[in-house]
């Protein structure tokens, strides 16, 4: 624990997101938009619009997967904007034990759809390794708890490398010329956030689901994305941001582990060029990440950390969750309240804001899902 806190104090001087906000309505109608604009410019770029058309192709439906716990759909989403087209493959599970009001978890994945499950009958795409990250999704556990899950590979929205932009969903809206060289404003994180919104819309086509219970879930770079997408897309009921670290749920100020300098040098396609100005100048940022967390308010927000994940900085993820309370209080919710940095496996299920520390490395495990499902259950 000492290593995690690293001699830092719980209280930290931070810029206030409220500025001259007078009440919740003023926050929601004015101040929130100012902050979104700042984040667009400096940290994440702009999320592309909805394309002119989306066609949902159900390529396969398998009833009774996982010994009858659920139904599985393989889907291809075909996007069209003017002459430009793009496709993404989604994997969708629905529980058999709930007939209506089904809550939905939406989350992009790292290793392809077949990497999320050990089911032998799911076709393997190129480069996929079956079930390699099945433990990260715990699909039978989610189905048994009555949840639906929709996932898709992040690379189908923006291939995660420095030349990925031209093959990303931005190509629906911009020419190849516009997407090369000085095109840092078209970021991977915003393309992935766009993907989350398209999966939410896919969920909404099913009448058995609860439209007011569609959650954005993401780990690490996708934990940053889950925050950014739900900050923009108010149709998401809430957000679970797991081990999201730098440019995610960890405060920039007084941070250990990853810093802006590393990110803009090594992962430049994730952020606009404007962020380069803040490398080694974190204190000069007009905001800190509790502002981003506050953009989820008054919807529920769960921030999760792991004890060995010093690169992400669990203590700063906690301090961020706590500082977001300033805005949740405008809505009459306490947030984390006066909670102190918890011991591992001692989740704080606060008032609309939750935080926990899991023992172990940077990952998503069965223990994470237990805490996540409990937080969602309490929030519904
Ligand atoms: C790298 C990166 C992090 C990111 C992580 C991940 O470690 O520096 O910012 O969160 O990858 O996505 O796994």
């Amino acid at each position: 624990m000492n290593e995690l806190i690293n001699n830092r104090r719980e209280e930290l001087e931070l810029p206030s997101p409220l500025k001259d906000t007078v009440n919740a309505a003023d926050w929601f109608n004015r101040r929130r938009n100012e902050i979104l604009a700042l984040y667009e410019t400096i940290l994440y770029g702009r999320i592309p619009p909805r394309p002119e058309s989306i066609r949902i192709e159900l390529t396969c439906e398998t009833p009774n997967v996982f010994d009858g716990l659920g139904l599985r759909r393989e889907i291809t989403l075909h996007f069209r904007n003017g002459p430009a087209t793009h496709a993404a493959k989604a994997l969708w599970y629905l529980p058999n034990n709930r007939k209506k009001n089904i809550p939905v978890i939406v989350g992009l994945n790292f290793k392809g759809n077949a990497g999320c499950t050990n089911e032998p009958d799911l076709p393997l795409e190129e480069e996929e390794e079956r079930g390699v990250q099945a433990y990260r999704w715990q699909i039978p556990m989610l189905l048994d708890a009555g949840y639906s899950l929709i996932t898709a590979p992040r690379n189908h929205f923006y291939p995660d490398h420095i030349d990925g932009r031209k093959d990303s969903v931005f190509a629906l809206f911009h020419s190849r010329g516009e997407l090369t060289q000085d095109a840092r404003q078209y970021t991977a994180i915003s393309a992935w956030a766009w993907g989350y919104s398209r999966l939410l819309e896919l969920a909404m086509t099913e009448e058995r689901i609860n439209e007011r219970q569609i959650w954005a879930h993401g780990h690490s770079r996708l934990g940053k994305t889950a925050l950014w997408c739900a900050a923009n897309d108010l149709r998401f009921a809430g957000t679970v941001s797991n081990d999201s670290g730098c440019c995610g749920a960890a405060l920039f100020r007084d941070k250990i582990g990853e810093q802006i300098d590393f990110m803009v040098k090594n992962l430049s396609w994730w952020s606009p060029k404007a962020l380069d100005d803040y490398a080694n100048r974190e204190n000069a940022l007009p905001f800190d990440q509790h502002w981003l967390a506050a953009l989820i308010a008054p919807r529920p927000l769960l921030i999760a950390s792991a004890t060995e994940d010093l690169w992400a900085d669990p203590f700063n993820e906690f301090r961020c969750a706590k500082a977001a309370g300033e805005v949740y209080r405008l809505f009459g919710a306490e947030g984390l309240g006066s909670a102190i940095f918890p011991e591992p496996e001692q989740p704080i299920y606060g008032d609309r804001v939750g935080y926990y520390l899991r023992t172990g490395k940077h990952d998503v495990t069965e223990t994470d899902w237990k805490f996540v499902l409990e937080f969602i259950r309490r929030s519904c």
Side-chain angles (χ1 to χ4, degrees), residues 110 220-221 224 243-244 246 258 262-263 267 270 311 362:
F110 284 81
S220 206
R221 66 200 69 183
K224 311 180 207 300
D243 302 353
S244 59
C246 186
E258 185 172 27
F262 177 91
M263 196 161 270
L267 299 157
W270 293 4
W311 185 240
H362 184 73

Side-chain angles (χ1 to χ4, degrees), residues 173-187:
F173 308 97
H174 301 278
S175 69
R176 218 174 165 85
E178 284 171 318
L179 293 180
T180 45
Q181 283 150 27
D182 273 343
R184 286 265 305 271
Q185 71 268 32
Y186 307 123
T187 67

Side-chain angles (χ1 to χ4, degrees), residues 184-201:
R184 286 265 305 271
Q185 71 268 32
Y186 307 123
T187 67
I189 290 190
S190 276
W192 298 332
W194 185 92
Y196 271 81
S197 290
R198 301 296 80 79
L199 297 187
L200 172 142
E201 288 162 2

Side-chain angles (χ1 to χ4, degrees), residues 64 101 110 124-125 177 185 208 233 319 334 374:
N64 297 320
N101 281 327
F110 284 81
L124 273 184
E125 300 279 319
Q185 71 268 32
R208 289 199 286 146
D233 191 336
R319 292 199 290 191
E334 268 307 299
E374 179 59 17

